[in-house]
Amino acid sequence: MKHISYSFSDSDTEAITFALTLLPSLGLEDTQAQATINYQCCCSAIEKLVKHDTNITPNEFRVIFASLQAVQFINSGEFKVDFETKQKCSAYLFTVNKLVSVFDKQMS
């Protein structure tokens, strides 16, 4: 994985934080152990983002990317959720699409 060479704006941080808080509630993990690991990574990633700490671990990076993709899938209708959740996700449509592109480049 490459070093992240992208400076997050306040709206980027807000969108990522939203996505990270949403991810654990979606129940996408196959096991409880993986759910626990993802939840812990979400919490630590949020803390680092809020503190502008750029020392993001590979697992934190993974859950950030997965959470952004989940919001993108919800916005595109590929993943079904309740109306209220969909509405909240749609508020971050453009920022999430931009960030998924940025993170996707980091993964390749």
Side-chain angles (χ1 to χ4, degrees):
M1 182 176 70
K2 301 175 191 174
H3 177 71
I4 298 174
S5 58
Y6 180 82
S7 181
F8 296 114
S9 69
D10 289 342
S11 62
D12 293 340
T13 301
E14 182 182 335
I16 295 168
T17 301
F18 167 76
L20 287 167
T21 59
L22 177 66
L23 185 66
S25 69
L26 297 176
L28 301 174
E29 298 85 359
D30 291 333
T31 66
Q32 184 57 44
Q34 188 61 56
T36 300
I37 292 167
N38 287 352
Y39 177 76
Q40 291 169 344
C41 288
C42 286
C43 292
S44 62
I46 289 170
E47 185 176 336
K48 287 179 181 180
L49 286 168
V50 170
K51 293 180 178 179
H52 302 286
D53 180 353
T54 58
N55 189 26
I56 299 200
T57 68
N59 273 342
E60 291 165 342
F61 184 87
R62 178 186 56 78
V63 296
I64 290 170
F65 188 50
S67 67
L68 290 169
Q69 286 182 312
V71 172
Q72 190 177 50
F73 291 152
I74 290 167
N75 282 332
S76 68
E78 294 177 54
F79 191 78
K80 302 294 181 203
V81 293
D82 62 84
F83 178 76
E84 183 180 344
T85 301
K86 174 116 171 86
Q87 202 169 25
K88 288 177 183 177
C89 289
S90 69
Y92 298 101
L93 176 73
F94 297 110
T95 304
V96 165
N97 287 343
K98 173 188 73 171
L99 289 168
V100 166
S101 176
V102 168
F103 275 75
D104 192 38
K105 289 175 186 168
Q106 297 294 322
M107 296 294 278
S108 48

